[in-house]
Amino acid sequence: MGLPQIAPYPLPSETELPKARGPWIVARDRAALLIHDMQNYFLRVYAPDASPIAPVIANIASLAAACRLAGIPVFYTAQNGDQDRRDRGLQADIWGPGMTSAPEHQAIVAALAPQPEDFVLVKHRYSAFQRSNLETLMRARGRDQIVICGVYGHIGCMLTAAEAFQRDIETFFIADAIADFSRERHDMAVDYVAERCGVPMSTRQLIATLDP
């Protein structure tokens, strides 16, 4: 029970990304960026100066800066610490009690601190759409595309992508801005999204699409 320590592994390169079945192209006036669960508690299981987490943090910072400059809304998910067992639900059976409310657990990593114009949503389940107003906030701003980055690839990131698809939201999965339990799990998540619900991209590719 609880999170494993995660050994370093290399992130996938652009040439390793699978071809998506979906034909979608990111549009700056339709997209929203989701920075998923980049809290200290979830990142403490990585070697901080190694891949995947060091380049993932740098890539997410680049994505966030480019999206803010392009007028794309930036959303974060973050779990609350010291969750009541009744609210935590079945997650407690799989992962234990989870994080505390101490900053070394609950805070979003300092390098990716939200800006005043960003949205921070309370995370309740694997998918960012569960028990949140993410879709409502997106639709109110004319956003029907979501760009996903963060942790962990084969859990919350992948299931958020799958649920976005089921809500008719076009999904873009930034493969080198996502970290996972292992390269095997990482590749599985990217392959699933490509085949079933979204478009894998690199950070460079996503930023290039935002150029005026």
Side-chain angles (χ1 to χ4, degrees):
M1 188 175 290
L3 296 170
Q5 287 298 123
I6 298 172
Y9 70 86
L11 293 168
S13 66
E14 283 184 12
T15 59
E16 294 175 299
L17 299 184
K19 181 175 174 57
R21 297 184 65 183
W24 311 309
I25 298 172
V26 176
R28 59 195 294 158
D29 60 344
R30 296 173 58 197
L33 176 67
L34 177 67
I35 300 175
H36 185 278
D37 287 6
M38 291 295 288
Q39 294 170 273
N40 292 328
Y41 176 81
F42 296 117
L43 305 190
R44 64 192 172 90
V45 296
Y46 294 100
D49 298 322
S51 185
I53 204 60
V56 160
I57 290 172
N59 287 339
I60 293 174
S62 296
L63 287 170
C67 286
R68 292 182 185 116
L69 188 63
I72 292 172
V74 178
F75 294 88
Y76 289 76
T77 59
Q79 289 188 22
N80 285 336
D82 297 321
Q83 292 177 350
D84 187 290
R85 177 63 175 81
R86 294 163 294 186
D87 293 329
R88 189 155 174 76
L90 296 180
Q91 291 181 123
D93 295 339
I94 303 295
W95 302 108
M99 70 179 71
T100 72
S101 58
E104 58 268 26
H105 276 190
Q106 188 170 310
I108 292 166
V109 64
L112 301 177
Q115 300 302 299
E117 68 272 22
D118 298 337
F119 301 87
V120 181
L121 307 175
V122 177
K123 182 76 177 303
H124 296 281
R125 294 294 182 267
Y126 290 159
S127 170
F129 290 100
Q130 288 295 310
R131 294 171 57 184
S132 83
N133 59 349
L134 173 58
E135 182 177 8
T136 300
L137 291 169
M138 287 178 60
R139 300 286 188 193
R141 288 157 180 79
R143 305 289 158 166
D144 62 354
Q145 297 181 335
I146 191 166
V147 177
I148 298 175
C149 58
V151 295
Y152 298 107
H154 78 288
I155 307 177
C157 294
M158 188 179 83
L159 292 181
T160 298
E163 185 163 354
F165 175 81
Q166 294 172 90
R167 293 171 182 250
D168 292 324
I169 296 171
E170 296 174 5
T171 300
F172 303 88
F173 205 69
I174 311 304
D176 61 357
I178 286 169
D180 214 325
F181 283 12
S182 67
R183 180 60 189 266
E184 178 184 22
R185 297 286 194 211
H186 195 130
D187 288 345
M188 181 274 284
V190 175
D191 288 343
Y192 179 89
V193 169
E195 293 174 2
R196 298 290 177 261
C197 60
V199 178
M201 300 180 73
S202 70
T203 298
R204 185 200 67 80
Q205 289 170 330
L206 188 284
I207 292 174
T209 67
L210 302 181
D211 290 338

